[in-house]
Amino acid sequence: MEHEELKEKNTHQETNQQVDDNHINDAVETAENITDTQQLEEQLANEKDKFLRLFAEFENFRKRTARERLELFATANEDLMKDILPVLDDFDRAIAQMETLGESEHLTGFNLISTKLRDNLSAKGLSLVEINKGDSFDADIAEAITQIPAGEEFKGKVFDVVEKGYKLGDKIIRFPKVVIGQ
């Protein structure tokens, strides 16, 4: 009988050991499941963060390229306009010279051509930088090529405009060259 009792006790202990092992295994599996779940949640959070950053970067790129495209369209003719400016200067000099000779058909023709050219260029965004004798000198919109003694009346002011300045849209493409009084 003792032998049977010992056998039964061993069986009971083995059963308890198996139950404890099962509980431990369940606890380990639950911990592993929680750890796997946490890992998956962390990976999901990282992927969401990467996606949001990539999306924001793409939006910034899209806005930047749209802005650059608009700037390109606004100033696409800048090189051509810069090349035409000496022709405008020549027209002004020719008209001024012809005016000294008096009214003629040639002067009228030059004025018509000059006006037509200037109107077409104005339609493309070219405009004159307004600066006149007696205006206060502003280094942001004009280039001083020399200073001359001119008395108190012209101290720090434009004494003469040597070369006209032009802007394309809001951008100055050639600064007016001026003489200022000291």
Side-chain angles (χ1 to χ4, degrees):
M1 262 309 192
E2 261 181 59
H3 185 58
E4 283 181 25
E5 283 180 22
L6 276 175
K7 235 182 184 182
E8 204 172 292
K9 207 176 191 183
N10 280 343
T11 306
H12 186 61
Q13 284 177 352
E14 285 177 10
T15 305
N16 284 342
Q17 182 69 26
Q18 286 176 350
V19 169
D20 286 343
D21 285 346
N22 285 341
H23 286 291
I24 290 172
N25 286 341
D26 288 341
V28 168
E29 283 181 22
T30 305
E32 286 177 359
N33 286 341
I34 290 172
T35 305
D36 288 344
T37 304
Q38 287 175 345
Q39 286 177 344
L40 290 174
E41 286 175 356
E42 286 177 15
Q43 285 177 345
L44 179 62
N46 286 340
E47 293 301 319
K48 281 183 181 179
D49 184 54
K50 285 180 186 177
F51 172 75
L52 289 175
R53 289 179 189 274
L54 186 62
F55 184 74
E57 188 176 321
F58 177 72
E59 281 297 309
N60 290 340
F61 169 76
R62 188 178 60 81
K63 289 176 184 175
R64 184 178 62 248
T65 55
R67 185 176 53 246
E68 288 171 354
R69 187 177 305 129
L70 287 174
E71 289 173 2
L72 179 64
F73 288 140
T75 60
N77 296 328
E78 184 175 342
D79 289 337
L80 176 63
M81 296 292 183
K82 284 182 180 178
D83 291 341
I84 290 177
L85 295 180
V87 175
L88 292 176
D89 293 338
D90 290 343
F91 263 114
D92 290 339
R93 284 190 284 274
I95 291 170
Q97 182 62 33
M98 291 183 84
E99 285 175 347
T100 61
L101 299 176
E103 190 67 33
S104 73
E105 291 177 13
H106 296 296
L107 178 60
T108 305
F110 268 81
N111 280 327
L112 288 173
I113 295 169
S114 176
T115 302
K116 188 172 187 178
L117 179 62
R118 288 178 193 281
D119 289 345
N120 284 325
L121 294 176
S122 296
K124 303 296 182 198
L126 186 72
S127 61
L128 189 63
V129 175
E130 292 295 328
I131 192 162
N132 298 309
K133 184 175 183 175
D135 291 348
S136 292
F137 175 71
D138 183 359
D140 292 333
I141 62 167
E143 179 182 338
I145 57 172
T146 189
Q147 293 183 347
I148 61 169
E152 289 299 314
E153 180 184 347
F154 285 104
K155 186 173 186 174
K157 295 185 178 186
V158 175
F159 185 76
D160 187 25
V161 179
V162 177
E163 185 177 70
K164 294 179 181 177
Y166 292 91
K167 58 185 178 177
L168 185 59
D170 291 332
K171 182 181 178 188
I172 297 178
I173 59 173
R174 184 173 83 183
F175 288 90
K177 292 180 176 57
V178 298
V179 176
I180 58 174
Q182 67 182 124

